[in-house]
């Protein structure tokens, strides 16, 4: 257990070290990022999200994104952990799926959808602000960090989509050149 704690502390320390400067971005398969996240969550779902099914649909044919794997996993992990907290032991489903979007710019859209109660309309406009949390023990930094990682570091976009039932977050990342 001590060895696991040390490994976790090293990972957290490395993450903060990366976010404190402009990390190198490289061509990265989003499938690998999501597989790493899925592996991380699978070991923790029995404790963090009892009765929650994790459904992943990220095609191998997606173009690579320009990114930093450690930071992207962290950003997505924060969103998924919020979904698990929102479902508060009631069970349900978290779906992660991605598709290429062709528009003015080529992007990959990754959506994280949960079957929880959704986001209270009173806090929708502040959900990405540091210090804003609906959890009694929360610090309100998870989604703020996710925004910093996605938008500040990766020049992408993260948003809470409108919808009924549950919450859906969309992360859009630019496709890597060449």
């Amino acid at each position: 257990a001590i060895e696991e704690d040390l490994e976790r502390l090293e990972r957290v320390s490395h993450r903060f070290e990366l976010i404190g400067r402009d990390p190198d971005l490289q061509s990265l398969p989003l499938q690998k990022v999501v597989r790493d996240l899925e592996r991380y969550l699978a070991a923790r779902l029995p404790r963090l999200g009892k009765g929650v099914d994790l459904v992943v649909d990220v095609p191998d044919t997606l173009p690579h994104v320009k990114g930093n794997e450690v930071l992207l996993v962290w950003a997505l992990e924060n969103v998924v952990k919020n979904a698990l907290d929102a479902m508060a032991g009631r069970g349900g489903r978290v779906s992660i799926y991605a598709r290429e979007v062709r528009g003015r710019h080529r992007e990959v859209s990754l959506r994280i959808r949960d079957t929880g109660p959704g986001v209270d309309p009173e806090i929708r406009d502040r959900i990405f602000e540091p210090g804003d949390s609906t959890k009694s023990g929360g610090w309100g930094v998870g989604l703020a960090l996710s925004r910093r990682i996605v938008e500040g570091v990766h020049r992408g976009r993260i948003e809470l989509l409108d919808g009924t039932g549950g919450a859906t977050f969309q992360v859009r990342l630019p496709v890597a050149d060449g």
Side-chain angles (χ1 to χ4, degrees):
I2 291 173
E3 193 172 310
E4 284 179 20
D5 287 344
L6 283 173
E7 183 181 315
R8 181 168 158 50
L9 285 171
E10 285 177 13
R11 186 173 52 248
V12 169
S13 171
H14 181 62
R15 287 172 170 178
F16 276 105
E17 182 181 311
L18 286 172
I19 203 164
R21 56 188 157 98
D22 288 331
D24 290 331
L25 303 181
Q26 48 195 282
S27 180
L28 187 64
L30 193 58
Q31 307 87 326
K32 181 174 181 345
V33 172
V34 175
R35 273 196 302 271
D36 288 351
L37 174 65
E38 185 178 17
R39 229 181 348 268
Y40 173 82
L41 291 169
R44 289 156 182 81
L45 268 179
R47 183 175 47 83
L48 294 175
K50 191 174 180 98
V52 174
D53 293 320
L54 181 64
V55 178
V56 177
D57 178 12
V58 180
D60 289 335
T61 56
L62 286 177
H64 288 199
V65 296
K66 191 168 188 171
N68 177 285
E69 184 174 1
V70 171
L71 291 179
L72 280 177
V73 169
W74 191 17
L76 299 176
E77 176 189 322
N78 287 332
V79 176
V80 172
K81 281 184 174 177
N82 275 4
L84 295 173
D85 288 344
M87 290 188 275
R90 290 178 277 212
R93 183 175 59 248
V94 174
S95 303
I96 302 172
Y97 57 99
R99 298 292 182 265
E100 182 178 2
V101 178
R102 291 179 184 262
R104 217 176 74 189
H105 303 286
R106 283 181 68 206
E107 297 176 308
V108 173
S109 168
L110 184 133
R111 292 185 180 187
I112 299 170
R113 175 181 291 161
D114 68 58
T115 58
V119 177
D120 186 332
E122 288 186 23
I123 66 163
R124 283 186 71 87
D125 293 341
R126 314 187 308 269
I127 198 161
F128 291 103
E129 292 178 15
D132 195 61
S133 179
T134 58
K135 297 178 263 185
S136 59
W139 288 8
V141 296
L143 289 177
L145 273 171
S146 291
R147 174 174 268 172
R148 164 84 172 96
I149 291 167
V150 170
E151 296 183 3
V153 175
H154 291 87
R155 304 293 178 238
R157 176 107 175 104
I158 184 170
E159 60 189 329
L160 173 63
L161 300 179
D162 291 331
T164 57
T168 302
F169 286 85
Q170 177 174 250
V171 174
R172 290 180 91 140
L173 297 166
V175 168
D177 296 328

